[in-house]
């Protein structure tokens, strides 16, 4: 009987020892994923802007637009409580969680704009795509200003 309680407490301690660093690592991975989504959306919009200006919109543009939309749709899900700049290395200000509905609304604006970008890219409409790209690029500051802080040291 006693042996079992030793085994159980050993398992409990081992699980805890594994869980604590895993949690810290998870947060780092989340921040990395946020960054890579933002960078890829940013890069995609620049590339699509070029295509729109050239007047040639192809299947590659449509594929890139779809990818950007799909990845950005999950952006706000990468902001669980406990991942702001007062706790970990990130540019995400605590204000995000104080005004979550505004944060979601700003993200929603970019999702809507990226949906329009995708639609225009799929129909090969360069003018509509160019306009939608501009709208998408117009949403960045509305979120960065209140919610993005300086780069962590
Ligand atoms: C809903 C809010 C929101 C919108 C909209 C938004 N961003 Fe961001 N962005 C953030 C936050 C928050 C961070 C910092 C995240 C972190 O450090 O964990 C960030 C970080 C970034 C970064 C730095 C990535 C890195 O880690 O190096 C770039 C680049 C960026 N955004 C580009 C853009 C562009 C371009 C747009 C518009 C097309 C945009 N963002 C729209 C919230 C937003």
């Amino acid at each position: 009987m006693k042996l079992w309680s030793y085994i159980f407490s050993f398992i409990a301690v081992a699980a805890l020892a594994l869980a604590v660093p895993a949690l810290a690592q998870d947060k780092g991975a989340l921040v990395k994923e946020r960054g890579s989504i933002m960078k890829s959306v940013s890069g995609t919009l620049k590339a699509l802007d070029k295509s729109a200006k050239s007047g040639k919109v192809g299947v590659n543009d449509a594929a890139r637009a779809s990818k950007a939309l799909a990845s950005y749709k999950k952006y706000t899900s990468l902001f669980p409580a406990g991942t702001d700049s007062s706790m970990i290395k990130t540019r995400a200000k605590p204000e995000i969680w104080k005004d979550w509905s505004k944060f979601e609304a700003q993200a929603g604006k970019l999702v809507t704009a990226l949906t329009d970008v995708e639609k225009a890219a799929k129909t090969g409409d360069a003018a509509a795509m160019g306009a939608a790209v501009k709208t998408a690029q117009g949403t960045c500051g509305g979120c960065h200003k209140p919610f993005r802080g300086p780069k962590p040291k």
Side-chain angles (χ1 to χ4, degrees), residues 94-107:
E95 276 73 6
I96 291 174
W97 290 268
K98 285 183 199 136
D99 204 350
W100 182 257
S101 59
K102 186 178 167 193
F103 182 68
E104 274 197 317
Q106 296 298 329

Side-chain angles (χ1 to χ4, degrees), residues 1 3 5 19 21 40 45-46 64 73-74 76 79 81 96-98 100 104 120 122 130 136 139 143 151:
M1 278 314 226
L3 182 64
S5 68
S40 89
L45 289 173
K46 278 179 202 157
R64 286 196 80 165
K73 268 187 181 161
K74 64 173 185 176
T76 56
F79 289 80
I96 291 174
W97 290 268
K98 285 183 199 136
W100 182 257
E104 274 197 317
K122 278 186 172 164
T139 68
C143 189
K151 278 191 183 152

Side-chain angles (χ1 to χ4, degrees), residues 30-32 34-43 45-46 72 75-76 78-79 83 88-93 96 102-111 114 133 135-144 147-152:
L30 271 180
V31 172
K32 252 198 194 141
R34 290 178 199 166
S36 75
I37 288 178
M38 288 264 69
K39 275 186 219 156
S40 89
V41 167
S42 166
L45 289 173
K46 278 179 202 157
Y72 195 73
Y75 191 62
T76 56
L78 301 174
F79 289 80
T83 60
I88 59 167
K89 270 195 174 185
T90 168
R91 296 180 72 175
K93 287 197 200 167
I96 291 174
K102 186 178 167 193
F103 182 68
E104 274 197 317
Q106 296 298 329
K109 282 184 194 167
L110 183 49
V111 169
L114 288 174
V133 165
T135 305
Q137 287 170 334
T139 68
C140 320
C143 189
H144 289 167
F147 298 127
R148 187 176 71 160
K151 278 191 183 152

